[in-house]
Amino acid sequence: MGVTHSTFTLERRYPVPVERVFEAWAQPEARKRWMASGAEHSQDFTVGGLETVNGVDGEGRPLTYEARYADIVPNERIVTTSTLRTGDVLSTASVTSVEFQPEGDETVLVLTEHGMYTPGHERPEWREQGTAQQLDALTNEFKEA
């Protein structure tokens, strides 16, 4: 069984200006809340910088996500290359773009991921579902206290 290749695109609308959505992505404290809650998280939000998340899966195995920022255009786009490992085994390698589009006082976010999934470790539908849940959690950053 070979490597599976897949691409998915997710779109979300947030009720705040682009600058606020971009900041929720760029600020490590905010990013940890909606993307890496309950895990160890670090983020160097610069071109060439590294973001890491260390956690565990449902079976207690260590998971390590590492993303390198390939391109950052403030309030417009972010491009990353990333890997996800279960223990020492590569599960996924991917390239992801996140585009921020103003629409009135709101933001349309479009995330596209091109992934390679190793046999028996990850499936495209799992990755898409997890990413969708993270984007849905991002909504909480914009709720009034």
Side-chain angles (χ1 to χ4, degrees):
M1 196 155 83
V3 173
T4 300
H5 297 259
S6 184
T7 298
F8 63 85
T9 299
L10 300 170
E11 184 174 306
R12 295 293 185 275
R13 179 179 301 275
Y14 300 104
V16 294
V18 165
E19 294 80 10
R20 285 202 51 204
V21 180
F22 188 86
E23 280 298 308
W25 206 283
Q27 295 298 317
E29 304 82 22
R31 181 107 163 111
K32 178 181 170 72
R33 279 192 301 269
W34 65 267
M35 189 268 200
S37 181
E40 182 182 314
H41 176 260
S42 66
Q43 180 185 23
D44 176 8
F45 191 73
T46 59
V47 172
L50 185 66
E51 177 177 33
T52 61
V53 178
N54 293 295
V56 294
D57 69 9
E59 298 175 17
R61 299 176 298 186
L63 289 178
T64 303
Y65 168 82
E66 292 184 340
R68 181 84 49 198
Y69 290 98
D71 188 37
I72 300 171
V73 178
N75 303 318
E76 289 183 28
R77 74 174 172 270
I78 301 167
V79 177
T80 62
T81 59
S82 65
T83 59
L84 177 66
R85 296 182 180 279
T86 304
D88 293 332
V89 177
L90 178 67
S91 298
T92 306
S94 61
V95 177
T96 304
S97 68
V98 183
E99 298 172 88
F100 304 84
Q101 303 169 354
E103 197 166 288
D105 289 338
E106 297 185 332
T107 300
V108 175
L109 182 145
V110 179
L111 181 148
T112 302
E113 182 168 306
H114 308 281
M116 292 158 280
Y117 306 87
T118 60
H121 296 285
E122 180 74 295
R123 293 185 182 165
E125 61 269 20
W126 297 346
R127 181 65 170 243
E128 183 173 351
Q129 179 183 23
T131 303
Q133 290 170 347
Q134 291 170 344
L135 294 181
D136 292 343
L138 176 55
T139 301
N140 293 328
E141 289 296 308
F142 312 120
K143 292 185 177 173
E144 296 300 321

